[in-house]
Amino acid sequence: MYNTKLITDDTYYVGSSDRRLALFENIYPIDRGVSYNSYVVIDEKTVLLDTVDHSVSRQFIENLEHVLGERKLDYVIINHVEPDHLATLDLVVRLYPDVKIVGNAKTIQMIKQFFTFNADENACVVKEGESISTGKHTFTFVFAPMVHWPEVMVTYDSFTKTLFSADAFGTFGALSGNLFADEYDFDREWLDDARRYYINIVGKYGMMVQNVLKKASDIDIAMICPLHGPIWRKDLLYFISKYDIWSKYEAEDDGVVIVYSSIYGNTENACAVLSSMLADLGVRNIKMYDASKTNSSYLVSELFRYSKAVFASSTYNAEIFPKMESLLLDLKAHLYQKKKVALIENGSWAISSGKKMSEILSQMKDVEIVSPVLTLKSSLKEDQLDALLSLAKSLV
Ligand code: FEO
């Protein structure tokens, strides 16, 4: 059965949610699922804005056919070519062979990389700032390269003042009936997943996100329709300001994230003692995680969120413990920066994890490493408590 909703004048939601998928992009856990949003505007001409992932294609096609009724589809605007939004384009073209595929030159080139049908026959290539009028509605295309792929653009409908924002302003999490962010307690239910989505998917491209925010600041926007998660029609500045903080790599909150890799619990014990010391020093946001237990995407998100961090790792095969090394490389790949960090190394012989963690962290921009690195020989001893307290004080 179709499941669509009118969201503003002539504009229908035709997407759907997937709660079965365990790993988004086959890497990020999504316990709350994910939505693949797609929109149709019914005007003198009909317009589809992006398609959906294979997993929800059946629901999507049913929705699309229902909303169009006897009408044919005139345009499909492709804001983003990644298959979680493009996968169903070939079905759409098969159903509506005369449809014009609207995208920039890169969009059309990449569509041809993914599909075998002749996209050139349907292509309507647009340039930055160009518009298409469909009657009442005028759609203007604003390029947003690397948010999150090079071909990405966002589309603004000046009649409804709606920005179709591609991956920007999206979040992990399936939709449950309510489509609008103001119908949820967004801070409680969505913000952590929104942050984790942004940092892990788009976090590397902060400068490009800043460019788009600058372009968007000149536009009168009443509604933001992203490709994942709820639609924004109220308090837009709340979410835009989060994007501004995230894309500038600023800490969202003051606090300390302690991440440890501990084989037999001794490094963990040192971190627990350190956390008590930090609490005594008045630190309230203290988050402690085992890098072997918690998926890296959550850790990266938390480490971006808070102003300070402690990385504590056992030495393993004369290297950093693998889960910690992988986390640090993940942080480097996502351009982790503007933070203050302290390091604890442990080992029973040939202790080297501290030096190697420093080597990775010192390649990151504006990451201040508190010195000295605290070295544990197998376990924390009473005569090291002063050094640990001094590390805590230097950090905060
Ligand atoms: Fe939701 Fe970059 O795709």
Side-chain angles (χ1 to χ4, degrees):
M1 174 55 110
Y2 59 81
N3 184 14
T4 65
K5 206 171 271 192
L6 183 72
I7 56 167
T8 183
D9 294 340
D10 315 317
T11 308
Y12 295 83
Y13 181 87
V14 294
S16 192
S17 288
D18 181 1
R19 290 177 180 76
R20 282 193 177 190
L21 186 69
L23 297 174
F24 185 78
E25 290 187 355
N26 211 13
I27 187 166
Y28 304 114
I30 44 167
D31 292 346
R32 297 174 57 239
V34 67
S35 76
Y36 303 106
N37 301 343
S38 172
Y39 308 91
V40 169
V41 178
I42 303 291
D43 199 0
E44 287 169 30
K45 302 277 187 188
T46 59
V47 182
L48 170 67
L49 290 115
D50 292 291
T51 75
V52 294
D53 188 76
H54 270 307
S55 61
V56 296
S57 59
R58 186 175 155 192
Q59 178 73 70
F60 163 74
I61 293 294
E62 226 169 324
N63 290 349
L64 178 63
E65 289 183 321
H66 171 71
V67 167
L68 289 175
E70 298 300 311
R71 305 275 307 266
K72 67 183 179 67
L73 181 64
D74 295 300
Y75 295 108
V76 53
I77 296 170
I78 302 296
N79 285 311
H80 187 14
V81 161
E82 192 167 7
D84 55 332
H85 311 293
L86 186 79
T88 316
L89 180 65
D90 57 343
L91 278 181
V92 170
V93 172
R94 233 177 285 161
L95 279 170
Y96 306 100
D98 297 327
V99 68
K100 289 276 169 229
I101 301 173
V102 181
N104 54 54
K106 268 202 185 75
T107 316
I108 305 301
Q109 174 211 318
M110 291 173 95
I111 288 172
K112 290 193 277 188
Q113 290 171 201
F114 280 103
F115 294 111
T116 51
F117 71 84
N118 188 354
D120 286 329
E121 282 183 3
N122 297 68
C124 171
V125 179
V126 293
K127 295 197 172 71
E128 165 89 16
E130 273 188 359
S131 300
I132 287 178
S133 179
T134 58
K136 284 190 289 180
H137 298 256
T138 299
F139 298 89
T140 303
F141 309 103
V142 178
F143 291 7
M146 300 318 297
V147 184
H148 129 244
W149 280 20
E151 86 301 348
V152 170
M153 58 186 201
V154 297
T155 298
Y156 178 68
D157 176 357
S158 54
F159 181 70
T160 57
K161 298 188 166 114
T162 298
L163 183 72
F164 297 93
S165 63
D167 274 343
F169 306 107
T171 170
F172 295 136
L175 293 166
S176 306
N178 292 305
L179 295 182
F180 295 98
D182 57 88
E183 295 171 325
Y184 294 93
D185 182 340
F186 191 86
D187 242 24
R188 190 168 61 82
E189 295 177 54
W190 290 90
L191 183 60
D192 286 346
D193 260 338
R195 183 188 305 104
R196 188 167 66 92
Y197 167 87
Y198 171 82
I199 303 293
N200 285 280
I201 305 284
V202 196
K204 187 181 177 69
Y205 307 111
M207 195 184 288
M208 290 74 167
V209 174
Q210 279 288 312
N211 290 339
V212 173
L213 290 177
K214 276 193 197 89
K215 287 185 191 178
S217 65
D218 296 332
I219 305 172
D220 181 14
I221 301 169
M223 185 178 284
I224 297 176
C225 289
L227 288 175
H228 302 287
I231 297 163
W232 289 82
R233 63 181 173 186
K234 290 183 184 169
D235 302 326
L236 304 193
L237 280 179
Y238 158 86
F239 205 35
I240 290 171
S241 71
K242 291 288 181 198
Y243 259 68
D244 190 38
I245 292 169
W246 297 338
S247 56
K248 283 180 182 153
Y249 302 93
E250 306 284 0
E252 197 178 337
D253 293 297
D254 202 20
V256 180
V257 183
I258 303 172
V259 189
Y260 61 83
S261 280
S262 185
I263 305 166
Y264 293 107
N266 290 302
T267 308
E268 178 184 6
N269 169 254
C271 288
V273 174
L274 174 66
S275 69
S276 296
M277 291 173 170
L278 289 167
D280 289 345
L281 290 170
V283 182
R284 289 297 167 261
N285 286 320
I286 305 169
K287 302 292 192 83
M288 197 155 123
Y289 294 100
D290 184 333
S292 291
K293 172 83 184 302
T294 304
N295 179 273
S296 180
S297 68
Y298 293 91
L299 300 177
V300 169
S301 179
E302 286 286 79
L303 287 157
F304 268 70
R305 176 179 178 181
Y306 290 104
S307 52
K308 301 176 182 78
V310 177
F311 299 97
S313 179
S314 312
T315 300
Y316 199 77
N317 290 329
E319 297 286 346
I320 308 166
F321 192 78
K323 290 287 187 180
M324 179 63 78
E325 182 176 31
S326 156
L327 170 65
L328 293 173
L329 294 175
D330 212 359
L331 287 170
K332 187 179 156 203
H334 286 87
L335 302 189
Y336 181 71
Q337 57 186 273
K338 298 186 182 174
K339 303 288 190 297
K340 189 171 182 182
V341 307
L343 301 177
I344 299 174
E345 62 178 355
N346 195 358
S348 299
W349 73 97
I351 304 166
S352 56
S353 55
K355 179 170 171 280
K356 300 211 165 181
M357 285 193 289
S358 288
E359 281 168 8
I360 297 176
L361 284 159
S362 57
Q363 295 168 45
M364 301 179 201
K365 192 177 159 197
D366 295 335
V367 170
E368 181 191 346
I369 303 172
V370 169
S371 69
V373 172
L374 183 71
T375 301
L376 308 177
K377 288 184 178 164
S378 302
S379 62
L380 178 69
K381 296 293 186 302
E382 190 134 17
D383 63 7
Q384 288 187 295
L385 290 177
D386 283 348
L388 191 63
L389 182 59
S390 161
L391 187 83
K393 284 181 176 167
S394 300
L395 184 64
V396 301

